[in-house]
Amino acid sequence: MNVLMVQGTTSDAGKSTLVAGLCRVFSDLQYNVAPFKPQNMALNSAVTEDGGEIGRAQALQAVAARQPSRIDFNPILLKPNSDTGVQVIVHGKALSNMEADSYHDYKKVAMEAVLTSHHRLASEFDLLMVEGAGSPAEINLRENDIANMGYAEAVDCPVIIIADIDKGGVFAHLVGTLALLSESEQQRVKGFVINRFRGDVALLQSGLDWLEQRTKVPVLGVLPYLHDLALDAEDAVSIANVKSQVQLTIAVIILPHISNHTDFDALRLHPNIDLQYVKIFDDLPACDLVILPGSKNVIGDLTYLKQQQWPNKINRHLRYGGKLLGVCGGFQMLGTSIQDPLGIESSHRGIVGLGLADFTTELTANKKLEQIQGHACFTLQPTSFNGYEIHCGESSGKALEHPAFKINKSGVIQNDGFVSSDNQIIGTYIHGLFDSDAMSKAIFDWVDPNNSIDQGFNLNEHREFQLNNLAKTLTTHLDIEKIKQIAGITT
C-alpha cells in the first residue's frame, strides 16, 4: 500500500478538505483509497458502520473515498470535556477521561493502536490518504508524537504541507514550519500546497519561485478560495446564513462544549430556514424554534446556561408559543435532574435540570453508539428516517411514556425521547434528523403547521455535489501527476 500524508502549518489550514478532495480524485481514478487520521481532537463525531466512533472529518473523507466508515480510519479520537481534560476513544470505544499531562504519557500506548489500524488498512487499500493534526512544528507536543511526523517516521511515508494564505504570512508559515523539523523530517516533505488564494495567481509567482528556491521543495499548486464550499465541519461552527426567502427562524444555542453541531448543517443550508447560532452570553432572538444541541459536558454546560439566565429566556420563548427541541445532551437538560455518580463527564456529580419534562438522567460508563432507523410519533402520517445515537446516559420517567420516535435497534422496536403534552417541546437522543428530507419537513410542520416549505434539504445530495466540485478544483489547480509520483503511484 502507498501512503501520503497531508500536514498543515496551522489548525484550519485546509488539511481535512484537501484529504477529502484527494480521496475523491483518486477514487475517480479507480484507486482503492481510504482516509486515515492517526489522532483527532474534535467534538463532532460520527458512528461508523462497524459500530464505533470516529471524527466527523474522517466520516466525510470515507464518503469522498466511497468507502463505508470504519473505526480504523481514526484510531485515536480525543473529545475535550474541560479546558484540560479529554475523553480518550481508542478504536471507536471510549476508554477513559484523562488530563492533558496523563495523555502525554499515554501516547506510547496510543501509537500501538495507530499502527494496528495502519497495518489493517495496508492489507486492503491501494492508497492511504493521511491527515495530520494541528501543526508538526509544535515544539511542546513533539515528544512521542503520533499525530504528525511521529507517525510519518514510524511508517516511512512522504508528506505534503498545506498553508492558508488568506490569513497572511503564508511564506513565513511554510519556511518556519520546515525549519523547525528535524533533518529526516524535512526530507519527508515533498511538496507545498497554498490554500484559499484570492486573485490572479500570476501575482504570486515571484513568491512561489522564492519559496521553491529557498526550501528546495516544490509548490504543488495554489488552491482558490472556495466561497461556496460547505462540507461537514470538524469543530468550528459556521454562522454565515444570509437568506432571502425565510419562512422559519431557528435558533441553536452555542454551548461551551457543543458537540455534533453538524446535525444542523441541513438547516443552515436550507433556502427557507434562517438558522441563527446564538452565543451563550447573547439574548435569544425572536424565533419559531429553539434547539438545545448535544454537549460533551452536559452538567457543566447546563450550569453555564443557568448562570446566563437561559431558563428564563427559554420559558419566555415557550410562553409566546415558540417550540423547543432538545437533542442528546440538550434533551437530558430538559428533565428534572442529571446525575453523574461515576464522574463520566465532570467532577460535579449532579445538577437540577430545566424541569420542562418529568424524567431524570443518569450518565453511565457505557456509551451508546448505533446507527438506527425509525419513524416519528408526533406526525399525522408515518415519517421514517435514518439517524444515529452517540451518548452516555439512561433517561427514565413519566414524560417518556409519550415518545417522540419509535426506533429499530437491532430488530427491537424501542421508544425514544418525548413530546410534551402541550406539543411545544420535543426531546430526543437521535442525531441526524435533519439529514432526512421527510423528517425535516415533519419537524417544520410541527414547528408551524401553516408553513409552506415543500421539503427539507437533501444533505447527502449536497455533500456529493460539493465533493465532486472540490475534486474538479483540485484536478485543475494541483499537479495531480506529481502527487501520484510522491505517493508512489506509477500506474
Side-chain angles (χ1 to χ4, degrees):
M1 179 187 67
N2 299 296
V3 181
L4 178 60
M5 188 172 198
V6 174
Q7 297 180 9
T9 56
T10 61
S11 295
D12 196 35
K15 298 184 293 292
S16 297
T17 301
L18 180 57
V19 169
L22 288 174
C23 281
R24 179 52 57 96
V25 168
F26 286 115
S27 176
D28 287 342
L29 293 173
Q30 304 303 308
Y31 292 100
N32 189 22
V33 59
F36 186 67
K37 183 157 185 169
Q39 175 185 284
N40 196 352
M41 179 177 284
L43 286 176
N44 279 339
S45 58
V47 177
T48 62
E49 295 192 27
D50 54 356
E53 184 178 4
I54 63 174
R56 173 64 58 177
Q58 282 61 68
L60 170 69
Q61 291 160 358
V63 172
R66 300 186 174 94
Q67 303 289 348
S69 62
R70 53 191 281 184
I71 58 173
D72 284 327
F73 292 163
N74 177 204
I76 304 293
L77 175 62
L78 308 177
K79 302 188 79 170
N81 50 27
S82 70
D83 289 343
T84 60
V86 295
Q87 183 182 62
V88 180
I89 296 165
V90 179
H91 288 151
K93 302 299 181 185
L95 292 189
S96 63
N97 291 325
M98 290 188 188
E99 292 299 308
D101 54 352
S102 298
Y103 180 71
H104 184 73
D105 296 332
Y106 184 75
K107 283 182 179 179
K108 292 180 181 179
V109 178
M111 178 60 100
E112 295 179 10
V114 167
L115 295 179
T116 296
S117 287
H118 169 90
H119 292 310
R120 280 199 289 245
L121 296 174
S123 65
E124 294 184 41
F125 295 95
D126 303 325
L127 174 64
L128 202 59
M129 280 302 316
V130 184
E131 179 188 343
S135 162
E138 301 290 353
I139 302 302
N140 57 308
L141 299 177
R142 285 174 56 79
E143 185 179 359
N144 298 324
D145 168 58
I146 67 173
N148 290 298
M149 283 299 179
Y151 165 83
E153 295 266 77
V155 304
D156 190 20
C157 73
V159 172
I160 291 173
I161 295 181
I162 186 171
D164 179 6
I165 196 172
D166 191 55
K167 295 182 176 68
V170 69
F171 297 112
H173 283 168
L174 288 167
V175 173
T177 297
L178 195 65
L180 290 174
L181 301 178
S182 71
E183 184 176 345
S184 65
E185 292 168 346
Q186 290 175 358
Q187 292 173 358
R188 295 194 177 281
V189 180
K190 303 301 182 182
F192 294 140
V193 172
I194 293 177
N195 194 23
R196 301 189 182 114
F197 179 73
R198 307 173 193 246
D200 184 355
V201 73
L203 300 176
L204 190 63
Q205 191 59 51
S206 61
L208 302 181
D209 294 340
W210 174 90
L211 180 64
E212 291 186 334
Q213 201 170 44
R214 172 67 179 258
T215 64
K216 311 305 181 188
V217 175
V219 176
L220 301 173
V222 177
L223 298 176
Y225 196 108
L226 299 177
H227 295 274
D228 297 326
L229 182 67
L231 290 169
D232 309 50
E234 183 140 82
D235 261 326
V237 178
S238 177
I239 60 175
N241 190 45
V242 179
K243 305 291 176 64
S244 59
Q245 296 181 335
V246 172
Q247 296 187 39
L248 288 177
T249 299
I250 298 176
V252 177
I253 303 172
I254 302 181
L255 302 170
H257 300 92
I258 186 173
S259 64
N260 288 65
H261 60 71
T262 49
D263 279 345
F264 316 116
D265 281 355
L267 297 177
R268 179 171 57 86
L269 296 165
H270 196 293
N272 304 124
I273 300 296
D274 176 17
L275 182 70
Q276 300 184 21
Y277 282 102
V278 182
K279 296 179 180 178
I280 202 165
F281 298 106
D282 292 342
D283 290 331
L284 178 64
C287 58
D288 302 290
L289 172 66
V290 171
I291 297 178
L292 272 173
S295 166
K296 191 62 193 72
N297 187 336
V298 64
I299 291 178
D301 283 354
L302 182 52
T303 300
Y304 279 117
L305 283 178
K306 290 181 176 182
Q307 290 172 349
Q308 299 302 319
Q309 305 302 311
W310 273 94
N312 293 337
K313 298 174 188 179
I314 291 171
N315 285 329
R316 183 168 60 248
H317 167 78
L318 293 171
R319 284 198 303 273
Y320 281 94
K323 298 293 179 73
L324 175 64
L325 171 64
V327 178
C328 200
F331 159 51
Q332 293 173 342
M333 293 179 188
L334 299 177
T336 56
S337 71
I338 303 168
Q339 302 300 320
D340 189 5
L342 301 177
I344 300 300
E345 291 189 351
S346 72
S347 59
H348 300 286
R349 293 299 185 256
I351 191 172
V352 174
L354 295 175
L356 295 172
D358 185 8
F359 72 94
T360 62
T361 297
E362 180 173 317
L363 303 186
T364 57
N366 295 325
K367 181 181 287 190
K368 292 191 176 181
L369 299 166
E370 192 165 356
Q371 294 186 356
I372 57 176
Q373 297 176 323
H375 66 271
C377 300
F378 58 89
T379 57
L380 295 177
Q381 300 295 326
T383 305
S384 300
F385 67 91
N386 294 319
Y388 64 97
E389 279 189 278
I390 181 168
H391 66 90
C392 297
E394 297 281 353
S395 298
S396 60
K398 189 174 181 180
L400 308 188
E401 296 173 4
H402 304 281
F405 302 94
K406 294 282 187 179
I407 56 177
N408 186 336
K409 302 183 75 171
S410 304
V412 178
I413 304 301
Q414 299 181 17
N415 294 339
D416 172 83
F418 76 94
V419 181
S420 63
S421 58
D422 59 8
N423 201 38
Q424 279 191 269
I425 306 173
I426 286 178
T428 178
Y429 273 122
I430 301 168
H431 292 280
L433 288 173
F434 294 104
D435 294 358
S436 160
D437 288 3
M439 184 52 63
S440 291
K441 181 63 170 68
I443 295 175
F444 298 158
D445 290 344
W446 168 69
V447 174
D448 179 6
N450 298 316
N451 84 79
S452 58
I453 299 175
D454 293 330
Q455 61 185 20
F457 183 87
N458 193 313
L459 192 61
N460 291 327
E461 289 182 2
H462 169 83
R463 187 181 288 119
E464 281 297 307
F465 177 80
Q466 293 282 311
L467 287 170
N468 288 332
N469 275 352
L470 176 60
K472 290 177 184 177
T473 299
L474 298 193
T475 302
T476 300
H477 295 277
L478 295 182
D479 188 341
I480 298 299
E481 287 303 314
K482 179 65 175 176
I483 292 174
K484 287 169 65 176
Q485 293 175 13
I486 292 171
I489 298 174
T490 57
T491 58

